[in-house]
Structures are given as structure tokens and as C-alpha cells.
């Protein structure tokens, strides 16, 4: 079947049929809606990335708290923390990904959509322009098509009438009851029907010839408008391709140097895990490597009073007595979680029963008495401080310098698990205020999270 014959097929669903251009026109509206859908897609993906990032951070926080309070230690604890550090860093990357999707890709679609689709009261200007152009081009061709369809209808009606009359005339000739006059009348009607068939055929052919002669112009004009629609859609598809590449650039973490560095660092952190170092640390702090005050013989002295843990007191009684000149003392270990083999000296909390001391007797006739000694505020043990030098590892702070009214800002260098109620619990990196200078035993008073208490001086540095 030829192209010209296609035009007159009423059952055809071709673009060239009257009104069928509306599918192409509607594609313009669809393009605007597709921009909305693509923006929605990006919004949802951005929200997914943010939720994933939040879940990673929450997971990392949970397990960091476990490590802070749990039994893991040393370089093995460092490997655990390396996995959690990876989580925090990946969470940051996914947060950045969500931000870029919205700030660059989503906003770019919105701007392009606004520049290419101009909303009028009921239509987009571009849609209305395409529709008006198609309608204008198709209108004259539609008139030719109407004439063809009318001529076709008349011709087919004439053919049906002629065939019916021919049957009647043929039957009348074989019927003896039909008079000659009646037969003649039927024959006259048949001739008129045949003339109608010939006349309508000529008009039908003429209409077909007219539309066929107009078809080339119709095709040319319709194609011109259609190409404009194609160009508009081509621009949208090209833009969407660019947007898809932009989405790819946001999602592809494999090309991000930070992403690869995260796993390089994690691999190195796991490689630093050393069983020998961890076991040595454990032995030094909780095993056979710990110091011990083995029991020694002690001479009975009924006048020896209990030595307080903290608080200054005079050495010796008002009327003389016993002066303690040497006491060997230690404390139960209190410790935090360390990943280093070296730890700061542990502070003294109480004296052990095993003590070695020498006395000097005064001239008091009532016998020997002893004085209380403070483990934080007065030093015995021949002037030896269980913390070491009071100013050791504490920057350039002068121990005699009075703090300002609100104290000094200090940061914990080591973790410290308090052994007494009036002490402060420290974690590495904690920042708080020291409100008093250190005593002779190296204990400082601080204010942390609204709680006042004591802490070892050489566990912190001043900021």
C-alpha cells in the first residue's frame, strides 16, 4: 500500500492522521514532569545517604563507648578503633555526597527546567506553540480529507443502490405477474442508479487526486514542526545524560582519594596490632610485672596513728613526740585504658600495712607520739614523691603560681579510673579546669562537668 493510500485509511493510527500529533505535543509536558521525577529521585537518594551516615555515626559511638568501658586493651583496642574510625570517615563522605547531590545536581535540574518550560495560565508556552503549529499545518489537509471521505461515502451509497435496483429489475423480468410498465419503470431507475455510480466515482477520484496533490506540502510542513519538537526533546535528553554523569560523579567514591586513604589507614592500623606489646602491657599493669610491697617485719608502736589519705596536718605533737622520717608505701593500682606501653606514675591513695620507718624521740617525758602524715599534701619517704617530680611532664607551669579566678584549662593526656569518691574520672582528651595548684604529692583539684575533685597532676597538660 502506498503512502498516499495510508492517508485515507480511517483505521490508521499514524502520526499523519488528524489529531495524532498530540502525542508528540504531550511529550513536551512529559519532559517537564520527568524533570520533577528526576529531582524527586535525587532528593530520596540524598536522604538515604544522610540516614546511612547517621547510622554509621551512631554505630561508631556505641562501640567507642564499649571500648572506653570494656575489657579490650592495647594495640588490639587500637585495631577496633580503626574500624570505628573508618565508619566515621565513610559517614562524612556520604554526608558530603548527599550535600553535593542537592547543591549541584538537584539545583541544576531546577534551573534548567525553569529556563526551558515557561508556564502560562493553563499550558506551557512550548506545548501550546507546538500544538498551534501542528493544527495550522494540518487544517487545510484535513479539509481535503473531509472531501475524500464525503465522496467515498456518496460513491459507496450509489453502488449499494445500483446493486439493489439491479436485483429488483432482474427479478421482475422473471416474474410473469409484473406488467411491462412496471418493468420499464424499474429499468429506468436502474439506469439512473448507474449514472449516480458513475458521477460519484468521478467525484471520489477527483477528491483523491486533490488530496494526493496536496500531500507533499502537508508532509513538508508537518515534518518541519515535528523536527522542532524533536530538537526540543533532544535538548532534554542530552541534559539528562549530563545530569546522569553528574550523579555518577557524586556517587562514585572509588575515584575519591579520601576514600582510598581511609582503607589504607585502616589496613595500617590493623597492621600495628601486636600481641607481644599487648601482653607485655598487661603483665606490667595487671600481671607478674607489677611491683609488690612484700610483707616485712614491723615493730609494734601503739602510738602510731592512722595516716590520712589527704589533708595537711602537723608533723609531731605540740609537746614533741615521734618524727616519722622514712615510710615505704604504695597503693592499689588504679588505671585507665592505655594503648602505649609507657604509663604515667600511678598516684598514691593509701598506705599499705607493710611500713618501714625510723623515729626520733623528743625530750617529752610522756613517751613517744606520732604525727599524722598526708599522702597528698606532705611528703615523707625521705622527700621522695610517688609521682616523681611535681613539675615533670607538665609543661612550664610554676607550682607556686596561683591559678586565675576561673582556673587553668587543662587536657587529659591519659585515662584515669578514680579509686576514691572525691577524685575525678579522666579519659584521654578530656578538657576541664584546674582550680588549685598541685600539692606536694602531685594532686591537683579540678572542676569537670560541674563536679569538683582531685586528679594526678602529671596526667594532664595545660592548654
Amino acid at each position: 500500500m502506498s503512502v498516499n493510500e495510508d492517508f485515507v485509511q480511517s483505521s490508521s493510527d499514524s502520526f499523519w492522521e488528524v489529531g495524532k500529533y498530540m502525542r508528540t505535543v504531550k511529550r513536551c509536558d512529559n519532559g517537564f514532569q520527568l524533570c520533577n521525577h528526576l529531582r524527586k529521585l535525587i532528593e530520596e537518594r540524598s536522604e538515604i545517604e544522610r540516614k546511612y551516615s547517621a547510622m554509621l555515626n551512631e554505630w561508631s559511638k556505641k562501640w567507642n563507648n564499649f571500648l572506653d568501658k570494656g575489657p579490650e586493651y592495647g594495640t588490639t583496642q587500637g585495631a577496633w578503633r580503626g574500624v570505628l574510625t573508618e565508619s566515621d570517615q565513610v559517614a562524612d563522605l556520604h554526608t558530603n555526597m548527599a550535600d553535593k547531590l542537592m547543591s549541584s545536581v538537584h539545583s541544576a535540574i531546577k534551573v534548567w527546567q525553569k529556563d526551558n518550560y515557561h508556564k502560562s495560565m493553563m499550558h506551557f508556552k512550548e506545548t501550546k506553540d507546538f500544538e498551534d503549529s501542528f493544527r495550522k499545518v494540518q487544517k487545510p489537509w484535513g479539509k481535503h480529507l473531509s472531501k475524500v471521505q464525503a465522496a467515498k461515502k456518496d460513491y459507496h451509497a450509489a453502488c449499494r443502490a445500483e446493486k439493489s435496483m439491479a436485483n429488483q429489475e432482474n427479478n421482475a423480468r422473471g416474474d410473469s405477474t409484473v406488467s411491462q410498465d412496471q418493468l420499464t419503470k424499474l429499468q429506468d431507475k436502474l439506469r439512473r442508479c448507474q449514472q449516480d455510480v458513475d458521477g460519484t466515482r468521478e467525484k471520489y477520484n477527483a477528491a483523491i487526486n486533490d488530496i494526493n496533490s496536496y500531500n507533499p506540502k502537508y508532509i513538508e510542513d508537518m515534518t518541519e514542526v515535528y523536527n522542532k519538537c524533536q530538537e526540543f526533546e533532544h535538548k532534554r535528553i542530552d541534559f539528562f545524560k549530563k545530569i546522569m554523569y553528574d550523579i555518577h560523579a557524586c556517587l562514585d567514591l572509588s575515584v575519591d582519594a579520601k576514600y582510598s586513604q581511609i582503607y589504607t589507614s585502616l589496613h595500617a592500623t590493623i597492621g600495628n596490632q601486636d600481641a607481644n606489646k599487648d601482653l607485655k602491657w598487661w603483665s606490667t599493669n595487671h600481671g607478674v610485672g607489677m611491683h609488690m610491697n612484700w610483707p616485712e617485719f614491723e615493730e609494734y608502736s601503739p602510738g602510731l596513728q592512722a595516716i590520712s589519705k589527704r589533708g595537711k596536718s602537723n608533723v609531731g605533737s605540740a609537746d614533741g613526740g615521734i618524727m616519722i622520717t622514712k615510710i615505704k608505701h604504695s597503693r592499689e593500682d588504679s588505671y585507665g585504658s592505655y594503648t602505649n606501653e609507657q604509663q604515667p606514675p600511678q598516684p598514691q591513695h593509701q598506705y599499705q600495712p607493710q611500713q618501714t620507718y625510723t623515729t626520733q624521740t623528743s625530750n617529752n617525758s610522756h613517751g613517744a607520739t606520732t604525727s599524722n602524715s598526708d599522702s597528698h599534701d606532705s611528703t615523707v619517704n625521705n622527700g621522695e614523691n610517688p609521682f616523681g617530680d611535681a613539675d615533670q611532664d607538665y609543661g612550664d607551669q610554676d607550682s607556686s603560681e596561683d591559678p586565675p579566678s576561673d582556673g587553668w584549662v587543662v587536657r587529659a593526656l591519659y585515662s584515669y579510673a578514680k579509686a576514691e569518691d572525691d577524685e575525678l574520672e579522666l579519659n584521654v582528651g578530656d578538657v576541664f579546669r584546674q582550680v588549685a595548684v598541685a600539692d606536694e604529692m602531685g594532686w591537683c583539684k579540678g572542676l569537670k562537668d560541674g563536679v569538683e575533685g582531685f586528679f594526678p597532676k602529671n596526667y594532664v597538660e595545660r592548654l
Side-chain angles (χ1 to χ4, degrees):
M1 184 176 289
S2 67
V3 174
N4 290 341
E5 289 174 327
D6 283 340
F7 290 140
V8 296
Q9 297 299 313
S10 59
S11 61
S12 172
D13 197 32
S14 171
F15 162 78
W16 304 101
E17 291 287 339
V18 174
K20 297 301 181 181
Y21 58 78
M22 285 304 298
R23 289 176 298 190
T24 300
V25 171
K26 184 174 173 53
R27 187 176 60 175
C28 182
D29 291 339
N30 292 340
F32 180 86
Q33 294 301 325
L34 286 170
C35 288
N36 287 339
H37 290 309
L38 187 55
R39 286 167 57 190
K40 183 65 175 177
L41 176 146
I42 293 171
E43 291 169 6
E44 291 179 356
R45 179 57 185 266
S46 177
E47 184 63 23
I48 290 172
E49 296 299 331
R50 292 186 192 281
K51 289 181 179 178
Y52 177 55
S53 177
M55 291 174 66
L56 286 176
N57 284 327
E58 188 64 26
W59 176 78
S60 174
K61 180 180 178 181
K62 168 189 172 182
W63 287 101
N64 269 306
N65 289 338
F66 165 78
L67 291 179
D68 290 340
K69 301 175 182 178
E72 190 59 276
Y73 59 96
T75 60
T76 305
Q77 186 193 82
W80 282 60
R81 292 198 188 275
V83 174
L84 303 181
T85 299
E86 178 271 345
S87 174
D88 290 332
Q89 293 173 337
V90 170
D92 290 340
L93 290 180
H94 283 273
T95 299
N96 292 336
M97 180 192 299
D99 291 340
K100 287 193 294 184
L101 283 172
M102 292 301 298
S103 63
S104 60
V105 183
H106 186 274
S107 60
I109 298 173
K110 188 174 182 179
V111 171
W112 187 90
Q113 185 181 27
K114 183 178 179 181
D115 290 342
N116 289 272
Y117 296 93
H118 301 87
K119 185 76 172 178
S120 60
M121 185 174 296
M122 297 182 61
H123 307 280
F124 291 108
K125 180 179 179 300
E126 291 74 20
T127 301
K128 190 173 186 307
D129 289 345
F130 290 144
E131 183 178 359
D132 290 345
S133 297
F134 276 125
R135 183 182 291 112
K136 181 178 179 181
V137 169
Q138 199 171 70
K139 185 176 180 179
W141 185 85
K143 291 181 178 179
H144 286 290
L145 181 62
S146 296
K147 292 179 180 180
V148 169
Q149 291 173 340
K152 176 183 176 181
K153 181 179 179 180
D154 292 343
Y155 171 66
H156 289 177
C159 288
R160 284 194 298 272
E162 186 268 339
K163 186 174 182 181
S164 175
M165 189 55 63
N167 289 335
Q168 292 181 31
E169 189 270 339
N170 186 51
N171 292 335
R173 280 202 306 267
D175 188 355
S176 58
T177 61
V178 177
S179 66
Q180 185 62 36
D181 290 339
Q182 290 174 330
L183 180 59
T184 302
K185 289 179 181 179
L186 290 174
Q187 291 173 344
D188 291 339
K189 288 182 180 180
L190 178 59
R191 283 192 295 272
R192 286 195 297 271
C193 288
Q194 291 172 344
Q195 291 173 356
D196 288 341
V197 169
D198 293 338
T200 53
R201 180 186 289 111
E202 291 178 3
K203 291 180 180 180
Y204 186 23
N205 284 327
I208 290 293
N209 291 332
D210 287 343
I211 197 171
N212 284 341
S213 63
Y214 189 78
N215 281 345
K217 178 173 176 54
Y218 172 64
I219 293 173
E220 179 182 359
D221 293 344
M222 288 288 284
T223 301
E224 181 179 354
V225 179
Y226 179 78
N227 287 339
K228 292 180 181 179
C229 294
Q230 290 290 83
E231 290 172 5
F232 186 81
E233 180 68 2
H234 189 280
K235 183 166 59 173
R236 182 193 70 83
I237 294 174
D238 278 350
F239 173 73
F240 272 37
K241 182 177 181 179
K242 174 184 176 299
I243 288 297
M244 295 302 175
Y245 274 127
D246 291 342
I247 295 174
H248 172 272
C250 292
L251 301 181
D252 187 6
L253 294 178
S254 65
V255 298
D256 192 329
K258 294 180 181 178
Y259 187 72
S260 59
Q261 183 60 40
I262 289 173
Y263 294 98
T264 301
S265 299
L266 176 59
H267 189 274
T269 300
I270 296 173
N272 289 333
Q273 184 175 347
D274 190 320
N276 291 329
K277 288 183 179 180
D278 291 354
L279 295 177
K280 182 179 179 181
W281 179 91
W282 185 270
S283 179
T284 301
N285 292 276
H286 310 296
V288 297
M290 295 181 68
H291 294 292
M292 174 63 181
N293 285 332
W294 302 104
E296 297 179 6
F297 180 81
E298 299 180 32
E299 192 67 51
Y300 173 72
S301 178
L304 185 62
Q305 301 179 8
I307 301 176
S308 64
K309 176 173 72 74
R310 218 178 262 120
K312 294 183 178 180
S313 61
N314 295 326
V315 179
S317 63
D319 56 352
I322 299 175
M323 175 72 71
I324 299 176
T325 61
K326 184 176 182 181
I327 298 178
K328 181 182 292 184
H329 56 309
S330 66
R331 53 149 305 197
E332 294 178 1
D333 289 320
S334 64
Y335 56 89
S337 296
Y338 301 101
T339 57
N340 299 325
E341 292 186 46
Q342 299 297 328
Q343 297 184 54
Q346 298 295 335
Q348 299 285 348
H349 287 284
Q350 64 184 13
Y351 292 97
Q352 298 295 334
Q354 299 77 16
Q355 299 173 344
T356 302
Y357 54 89
T358 60
T359 63
Q360 295 177 349
T361 306
S362 69
N363 294 325
N364 192 318
S365 61
H366 296 287
T369 61
T370 60
S371 64
N372 293 337
S373 174
D374 190 296
S375 65
H376 286 197
D377 299 311
S378 63
T379 179
V380 289
N381 193 24
N382 287 338
E384 296 180 3
N385 189 335
F387 280 58
D389 188 353
D391 292 326
Q392 181 180 1
D393 295 330
Y394 197 68
D396 297 325
Q397 176 179 336
D398 184 356
S399 61
S400 63
E401 177 185 355
D402 291 330
S405 59
D406 57 349
W408 292 300
V409 178
V410 295
R411 176 172 56 213
L413 298 174
Y414 310 96
S415 295
Y416 175 69
K418 67 179 184 179
E420 302 292 341
D421 292 340
D422 60 350
E423 295 176 356
L424 294 178
E425 185 94 8
L426 301 183
N427 291 313
V428 176
D430 284 351
V431 176
F432 58 100
R433 291 191 176 276
Q434 177 184 340
V435 298
V437 297
D439 62 18
E440 293 88 341
M441 294 298 293
W443 287 95
C444 302
K445 182 177 287 188
L447 183 64
K448 179 174 179 285
D449 298 331
V451 178
E452 190 173 88
F454 294 93
F455 64 92
K457 174 179 179 179
N458 61 342
Y459 274 53
V460 302
E461 63 175 354
R462 192 193 301 177
L463 298 179

